[in-house]
Amino acid sequence: MGSRPLFTRHSFYYGLALVVFLLDQATKWAIASRLPLYAERPVIDDFFSITHFRNAGAAFGILQNQRAFFLIVTVVVATGVIWYLDKAVRRGRRMLAAALAMLLGGAVGNFVDRALYGEVVDFLQFRFRFEWFGTPVDYTYPVFNLADSAIVVGVGLILLDSLLDRRRETPGGRASPNGEGSAV
């Protein structure tokens, strides 16, 4: 029985997940320890600000104070992502594996916040001001964090990988009539 090398193909992707997690936690700690709750620091005029906000819900503040629900769902999702990540790595699906690693790092980052504090530290805020056919528009996007960003980028890469995979399924970039392909 041979031993596995210390650095495996999986290590890179778990390392990526760890980097996402550590950056997320470091930025949340920096905001929580240096900026009072609800304080706002402009970075790019009125367009981008660092705003200390706490969210006890999910994206866009939905499902507030459902801590147990989020913790259970995150454990289930993270388990599925780890299983799928292993499968993607074994099949050489690098983009999919990187996407899943980002998703995993972000999910674990927000999980730790919910588990320890019952809420997530958010701090990235964007405000869009422009005119639309002569009507002024002033929209502030909900405040979010690096974990949320990693999750969104991960999901985007999963969708891109899926689209590219469909094009690779058959010659000419068309899906086969019976729907078979190289899906993970």
Side-chain angles (χ1 to χ4, degrees), residues 38-177:
Y38 306 116
E40 181 177 343
R41 299 287 188 265
V43 176
I44 303 174
D45 299 323
D46 284 342
F47 172 66
F48 172 54
S49 300
I50 300 295
T51 304
H52 184 178
F53 186 77
R54 301 293 176 106
N55 183 2
F60 308 109
I62 62 171
L63 299 172
Q64 288 290 315
N65 301 311
Q66 300 296 316
R67 182 179 186 184
F69 170 76
F70 287 123
L71 294 176
I72 292 167
V73 167
T74 303
V75 167
V76 170
V77 168
T79 302
V81 167
I82 290 168
W83 175 82
Y84 204 46
L85 174 61
D86 178 62
K87 201 170 181 179
V89 170
R90 290 179 191 276
R91 293 197 177 170
R93 303 278 303 273
R94 294 185 307 224
M95 183 187 305
L96 180 59
L100 292 166
M102 294 181 76
L103 189 67
L104 180 62
V108 172
N110 282 340
F111 174 85
V112 166
D113 285 3
R114 285 193 181 97
L116 295 178
Y117 313 114
E119 58 193 5
V120 173
V121 174
D122 288 331
F123 58 91
L124 300 170
Q125 183 174 25
F126 289 88
R127 185 175 198 172
F128 301 92
R129 288 183 175 178
F130 55 92
E131 281 197 26
W132 183 260
F133 297 105
T135 304
V137 175
D138 187 354
Y139 175 72
T140 302
Y141 192 80
V143 185
F144 59 99
N145 59 44
L146 290 184
D148 300 333
S149 299
I151 291 168
V152 169
V153 170
V155 168
L157 287 173
I158 290 168
L159 293 173
L160 178 60
D161 181 76
S162 177
L163 290 171
L164 293 174
D165 189 51
R166 282 194 176 277
R167 295 194 74 164
R168 287 187 296 258
E169 285 180 359
T170 58
R174 284 181 247 142
S176 60

